[in-house]
């Protein structure tokens, strides 16, 4: 199979030749795949990148990295809808609980940023040294690296499931726990395949935090992490396509695929959240680890 075949794009307005609008069917497929797997601990980015490779799409292009983060945005909308009412009762019922949650989210997010962007800089300056305009996105399509990341998070999930099954007492959630969960999340940023939700929920279980609180905190962190990533990828896309010289119709053609995908991923995300919560409550967390290990083998075979 030729994984480098050309992708079909509909024609754009006169004078604008960049291929920035994806075929509707491809958007639909990627949105459903990403939306459903984003909120499960199986690495949505790994599934989307494999699908892109199978369709002959370059997953490292600015259009595709923006599409991916916009799909993330759609699923974050489903997080707000799914958890909103419960979070309002639990974490926003009074000033004390709200400030406590915000403080822990801030600490975790700060830890994530320092570690994640530190690793990003390290990779760009060592592994990508000598490449003009090198960026971490250049390694996002590396299937062997994705396979290793999937295997790693699969092992972490299995360890967490074992630990959770052998721990009867649950810890209170405080600053040390927020710090360690932020560290786990930071490890995910530079590596596609290292499931963010899988790593953060597993970190909570390993630390002895109950399933519901681990799940809540993981997705609260996702809501904080997504906006700056979207802005970064939007800036990268606009820079690549000389955004300031475009007409209004060209700008719409550039961003419309991502906006469409975001809407489609919202619905798929709601379905995934129902499945995730059900499996967590029924003690089936280990199944996700087994799946990640099996999928890592398939990805390695495709590499």
């Amino acid at each position: 199979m030729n994984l480098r075949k050309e992708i079909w794009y509909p024609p754009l307005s006169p004078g604008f030749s960049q291929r920035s609008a994806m075929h509707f069917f491809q958007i639909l497929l990627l949105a459903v795949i990403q939306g459903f797997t984003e909120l499960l601990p199986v690495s949505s980015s790994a599934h989307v990148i494999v699908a892109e490779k199978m369709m002959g799409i370059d997953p490292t292009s600015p259009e595709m990295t923006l599409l991916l983060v916009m799909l993330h945005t759609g699923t974050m909308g489903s997080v707000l809808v799914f958890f909103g009412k419960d979070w309002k009762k639990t974490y926003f019922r009074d000033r004390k609980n709200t400030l406590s949650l915000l403080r822990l989210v801030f600490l975790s997010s700060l830890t994530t940023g320092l570690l994640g962007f530190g690793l990003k800089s390290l990779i760009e300056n060592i592994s990508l040294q000598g490449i003009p305009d090198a960026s971490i996105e250049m390694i996002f399509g590396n299937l062997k690296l994705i396979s290793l990341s999937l295997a790693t998070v699969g092992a972490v999930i299995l360890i967490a499931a074992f630990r959770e099954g052998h721990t009867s007492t649950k810890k209170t959630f405080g600053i040390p726990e927020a710090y360690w969960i932020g560290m786990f999340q930071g490890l995910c940023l530079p590596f596609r395949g290292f499931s963010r939700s899988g790593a953060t929920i597993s970190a909570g279980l390993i630390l002895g935090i109950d399933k519901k609180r681990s799940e809540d905190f993981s997705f609260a962190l996702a809501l904080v992490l997504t906006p700056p990533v979207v802005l970064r990828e939007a800036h990268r896309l606009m820079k690549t396509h000389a955004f300031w010289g475009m007409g209004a119709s060209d700008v719409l053609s550039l961003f419309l695929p991502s906006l469409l995908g975001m809407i489609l991923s919202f619905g798929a995300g709601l379905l995934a959240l129902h499945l995730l919560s059900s499996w967590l409550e029924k003690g089936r967390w280990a199944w996700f680890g087994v799946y990640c290990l099996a999928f890592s083998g398939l990805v390695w075979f495709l590499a």
Side-chain angles (χ1 to χ4, degrees), residues 58-130:
D58 178 10
T60 67
S61 69
E63 292 87 354
M64 293 314 304
T65 53
L66 176 66
L67 173 64
L68 188 58
V69 295
M70 290 297 281
L71 296 181
H72 282 289
T73 304
T75 52
M76 288 308 100
S78 65
V79 168
L80 287 174
V81 171
F82 187 84
F83 289 107
K85 185 180 293 186
D86 184 56
W87 284 359
K88 185 176 181 180
K89 293 179 181 178
T90 306
Y91 303 112
F92 298 100
R93 66 178 184 269
D94 55 49
R95 179 183 174 83
K96 181 180 178 180
N97 277 278
T98 300
L99 290 177
S100 176
L101 174 65
L102 293 178
R103 182 169 60 249
L104 295 176
V105 167
F106 173 78
L107 175 62
S108 273
S109 300
L110 179 62
T111 304
T112 293
L114 292 174
L115 178 59
F117 287 103
L119 286 172
K120 172 184 175 297
S121 178
L122 189 66
I123 292 170
E124 288 176 345
N125 289 310
I126 295 179
S127 299
L128 302 177
Q129 188 177 24

Side-chain angles (χ1 to χ4, degrees), residues 242-261:
F243 173 77
W244 302 114
M246 296 180 188
S249 60
D250 294 332
V251 173
L252 180 63
S253 295
L254 190 62
F255 285 96
L256 186 59
S258 296
L259 292 173
L260 176 59

